[in-house]
């Protein structure tokens, strides 16, 4: 990879702590919350009370929904950090242009254009781009449910869904293939 050279901004200094925020959120909030739910599921599975098998299934749904909520929250935190970074760069590098307001209203494609415009390189040139783009699809799928991002996510991360055995019609023909539903997605903690 060719070294990238650009004018450092105060926004670069501020962004240097973003990983600390997200790591702490993951390690101090997400991991303990998921561990608590997993322990409740395990305890319900060990229980001899007949109703607990139903409570266990309900708690598994809660765990799945919690992972979706955390997926959305991670994406939201990152997107707010990225927007703040771009606004800071715009303020410092292009103070006479109304870029700050455009960054605030921009969608993912436009945010990438603003990054290229401000920093002279496409976001897609960074090794982490595919991960960030997948995170964007994850956030959209968690926020909106089934749709274009969920379809793209199912192609990139098929392991987010448990395999569904094929259903056959009365004529023994395979049922038509449908995109996996976000409602059935189970995001691994990793």
């Amino acid at each position: 990879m060719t070294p990238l050279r650009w004018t450092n901004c105060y926004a670069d200094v501020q962004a240097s702590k973003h990983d600390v925020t997200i790591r702490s959120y993951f390690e101090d909030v997400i991991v303990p919350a998921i561990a608590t739910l997993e322990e409740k599921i395990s305890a319900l599975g060990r229980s001899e009370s007949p109703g607990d098998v139903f409570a266990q299934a309900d708690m598994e749904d809660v765990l799945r929904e919690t992972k979706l909520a955390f997926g959305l929250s991670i994406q939201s935190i990152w997107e707010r950090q990225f927007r703040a970074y771009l606004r800071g760069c715009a303020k410092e590098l292009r103070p006479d242009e109304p870029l700050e307001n455009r960054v605030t209203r921009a969608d993912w494609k436009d945010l990438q254009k603003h990054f290229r415009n401000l920093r002279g390189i496409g976001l897609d040139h960074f090794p982490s781009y595919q991960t960030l783009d997948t995170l964007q699809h994850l956030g959209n799928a968690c926020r909106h449910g089934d749709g274009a991002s969920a379809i793209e996510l199912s192609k990139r991360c098929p392991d987010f869904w448990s395999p569904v055995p094929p259903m056959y019609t009365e004529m023994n023909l395979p049922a038509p293939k449908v995109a996996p539903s976000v409602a059935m997605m189970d995001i691994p903690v990793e």
Side-chain angles (χ1 to χ4, degrees):
M1 183 171 168
T2 306
L4 174 66
R5 304 208 188 283
W6 67 29
T7 302
N8 283 329
C9 299
Y10 186 64
D12 292 295
V13 175
Q14 290 177 311
S16 70
K17 300 274 182 168
H18 287 172
D19 65 321
V20 173
T21 301
I22 204 67
R23 281 187 202 285
S24 178
Y25 182 66
F26 181 76
E27 294 169 2
D28 300 332
V29 177
I30 294 175
V31 171
I34 289 175
T36 298
L37 292 173
E38 288 174 336
E39 177 51 38
K40 284 184 179 184
I41 290 167
S42 181
L44 289 167
R46 292 187 306 268
S47 173
E48 294 183 17
S49 177
D52 282 352
V53 69
F54 299 106
Q56 181 183 18
D58 291 342
M59 192 57 61
E60 288 169 350
D61 288 340
V62 169
L63 176 60
R64 200 169 20 262
E65 289 295 333
T66 300
K67 289 177 181 178
L68 290 173
F70 282 140
L72 174 58
S73 65
I74 288 173
Q75 187 276 328
S76 294
I77 292 167
W78 178 83
E79 186 175 323
R80 282 194 315 273
Q81 290 172 337
F82 187 52
R83 284 177 191 278
Y85 172 75
L86 291 176
R87 282 192 302 270
C89 290
K91 188 176 189 177
E92 196 169 331
L93 298 172
R94 309 269 174 80
D96 298 331
E97 296 178 32
L99 287 175
E100 286 182 73
N101 289 333
R102 290 185 194 147
V103 166
T104 299
R105 296 185 313 269
D107 65 11
W108 177 231
K109 287 183 182 179
D110 286 338
L111 288 173
Q112 293 178 69
K113 289 177 189 174
H114 289 307
F115 184 85
R116 180 186 301 273
N117 181 25
L118 288 165
R119 303 319 263 149
I121 186 172
L123 199 57
D124 58 343
H125 285 86
F126 288 85
S128 59
Y129 176 76
Q130 283 301 319
T131 302
L132 296 174
D133 194 51
T134 299
L135 180 62
Q136 182 67 25
H137 286 294
L138 177 64
N140 283 341
C142 292
R143 179 181 292 113
H144 303 295
D146 297 341
S149 282
I151 291 168
E152 181 61 29
L153 195 59
S154 72
K155 293 175 187 172
R156 293 182 188 194
C157 305
D159 56 316
F160 285 10
W161 287 266
S162 297
V164 177
M167 302 284 289
Y168 293 96
T169 64
E170 290 177 19
M171 299 173 57
N172 289 327
L173 297 173
K177 188 172 183 172
V178 294
S181 173
V182 170
M184 301 305 295
M185 187 166 56
D186 188 14
I187 304 169
V189 176
E190 306 76 47

